[in-house]
């Protein structure tokens, strides 16, 4: 397999696909009915648009690259050495309640690591794209992480998961607050990572995430000059949950001071 050709062919395809997926998501958002959603579990929202966008993406990938595996939030799948990861609407609660802070996420992974990522914010008509080794872009313009120098100057997001105990969450939050950080939660892990890549936020942490929520954003952060954690790091990891940490470079070591298991940063690119 020619890795370079494999990635380049899919990069061209992904740039077109993410726009069509964003258009589908925006149409669903603009035409939704109030209260038109269901719950897969406590605080776990599902809308018709989630399914419509994921089916569109899955169908297009299957036609173009039938040999590739697909793992989607809504329709599942089994990852392999070449895997597309899909979150059709990240921030579904926001979407369902009419808050325009949500995104469409698509990533392409080789051997468990993202090499291509695209995240669309349909309402703002913005598309973020990254290819391993080629930088991070917003609507074709390069983006970079912030130059914030210390945690007492930092604004960051901290996601919450029902898989983690309240005490664990509070322990991490306590450390961050004691260091003087300003903490937010806006309801989309994908956009939280985008904001780190773009320098609007200085870091993002979540103690347990699915791969479809984070692999695309983590590649964007790396390519924008930031640092991210080691998970996910294998094909098997893509089907599991794990801890996510992403940071602008100057506060990275301080962020690691939370001392939570497996929340260690890779070296800079």
């Amino acid at each position: 397999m020619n890795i370079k050709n494999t990635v380049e062919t899919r990069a061209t395809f992904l740039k077109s696909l993410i726009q069509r997926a964003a258009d589908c998501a925006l149409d669903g958002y603009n035409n939704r009915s109030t209260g038109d959603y269901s719950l897969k579990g406590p605080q776990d929202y599902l809308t018709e648009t989630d399914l419509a966008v994921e089916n569109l993406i899955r169908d297009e990938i299957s036609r173009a690259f039938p040999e590739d595996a697909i793992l989607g939030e809504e329709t599942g799948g089994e990852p392999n050495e070449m895997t597309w990861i899909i979150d059709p609407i990240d921030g579904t609660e926001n979407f369902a309640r009419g808050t325009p802070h949500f995104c469409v996420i698509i990533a392409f992974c080789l051997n468990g690591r993202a090499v291509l990522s695209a995240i669309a914010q349909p309402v703002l008509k913005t598309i973020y794209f990254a290819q391993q080794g080629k930088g991070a872009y917003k609507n074709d313009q390069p983006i970079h992480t912030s130059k914030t120098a210390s945690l007492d100057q930092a604004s960051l997001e901290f996601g919450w998961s029902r898989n983690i105990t309240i005490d664990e969450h509070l322990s991490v939050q306590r450390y961050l607050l004691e260091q003087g950080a300003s903490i937010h939660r806006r309801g989309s892990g994908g956009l939280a990572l985008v904001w780190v890549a773009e320098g609007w936020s200085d870091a993002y942490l979540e103690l347990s995430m699915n791969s479809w929520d984070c692999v695309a954003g983590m590649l964007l952060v790396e390519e924008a000059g930031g640092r991210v954690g080691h998970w996910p790091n294998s094909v098997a990891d893509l089907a599991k949950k794990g801890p996510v940490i992403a940071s602008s470079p100057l506060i990275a070591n301080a962020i690691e001071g939370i001392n939570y298991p497996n929340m260690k940063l890779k070296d800079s690119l």
Side-chain angles (χ1 to χ4, degrees):
M1 178 177 65
N2 186 315
I3 298 297
K4 182 178 180 180
N5 287 344
T6 294
V7 175
E8 291 294 341
T9 300
R10 286 159 179 79
T12 301
F13 168 81
L14 177 56
K15 290 176 181 178
S16 174
L17 177 60
I18 190 64
Q19 184 62 68
R20 295 198 299 277
D23 291 343
C24 181
L26 183 60
D27 183 66
Y29 180 74
N30 288 335
N31 292 287
R32 76 196 184 286
S33 298
T34 302
D36 188 15
Y37 58 84
S38 58
L39 289 171
K40 295 179 284 184
Q43 301 297 330
D44 192 359
Y45 288 70
L46 175 66
T47 70
E48 289 185 1
T49 303
D50 287 89
L51 298 172
V53 174
E54 183 158 322
N55 286 335
L56 181 154
I57 296 169
R58 181 178 286 273
D59 290 348
E60 292 292 328
I61 293 171
S62 296
R63 279 195 289 268
F65 305 105
E67 68 276 24
D68 293 359
I70 302 173
L71 176 62
E73 178 179 11
E74 307 305 339
T75 55
E78 293 292 333
N80 65 20
E81 288 78 10
M82 297 194 300
T83 303
W84 293 89
I85 308 292
I86 306 166
D87 190 343
I89 302 291
D90 182 61
T92 303
E93 179 182 352
N94 289 340
F95 178 101
R97 294 180 177 275
T99 303
H101 188 74
F102 62 89
C103 63
V104 180
I105 303 174
I106 310 173
F108 177 68
C109 300
L110 287 176
N111 299 312
R113 299 306 301 255
V115 295
L116 295 171
S117 72
I119 298 179
Q121 214 291 21
V123 176
L124 297 181
K125 300 186 184 304
T126 53
I127 291 179
Y128 300 85
F129 185 87
Q131 180 172 342
Q132 188 178 58
K134 293 193 174 185
Y137 296 85
K138 174 186 179 180
N139 291 345
D140 298 322
Q141 298 300 310
I143 57 175
H144 304 282
T145 54
S146 75
K147 297 181 179 179
T148 301
S150 64
L151 272 182
D152 62 5
Q153 301 171 356
S155 175
L156 56 88
E157 284 199 58
F158 178 35
W160 291 73
S161 169
R162 298 181 70 86
N163 301 310
I164 303 298
T165 67
I166 292 174
D167 285 344
E168 288 176 285
H169 282 120
L170 293 178
S171 175
V172 172
Q173 190 173 46
R174 174 181 292 276
Y175 169 79
L176 296 170
L177 290 172
E178 287 176 343
Q179 304 308 307
S182 175
I183 303 175
H184 304 269
R185 184 178 187 273
R186 299 180 179 93
S188 168
L191 287 179
L193 289 163
V194 160
W195 282 29
V196 177
E198 193 166 6
W200 289 1
S201 178
D202 301 305
Y204 182 69
L205 302 96
E206 188 160 339
L207 306 184
S208 178
M209 288 186 84
N210 292 298
S211 64
W212 50 74
D213 293 315
C214 65
V215 291
M218 291 172 74
L219 179 60
L220 276 161
V221 172
E222 278 195 290
E223 291 296 322
R227 294 179 63 191
V228 300
H230 290 269
W231 185 91
N233 195 38
S234 68
V235 172
D237 283 347
L238 296 178
K240 302 175 183 177
K241 295 178 182 289
V244 169
I245 180 171
S247 176
S248 56
L250 297 182
I251 63 167
N253 290 337
I255 287 288
E256 272 191 315
I258 61 172
N259 197 30
Y260 188 80
N262 300 317
M263 288 285 242
K264 296 300 179 184
L265 292 157
K266 296 190 297 182
D267 293 334
S268 302
L269 291 175

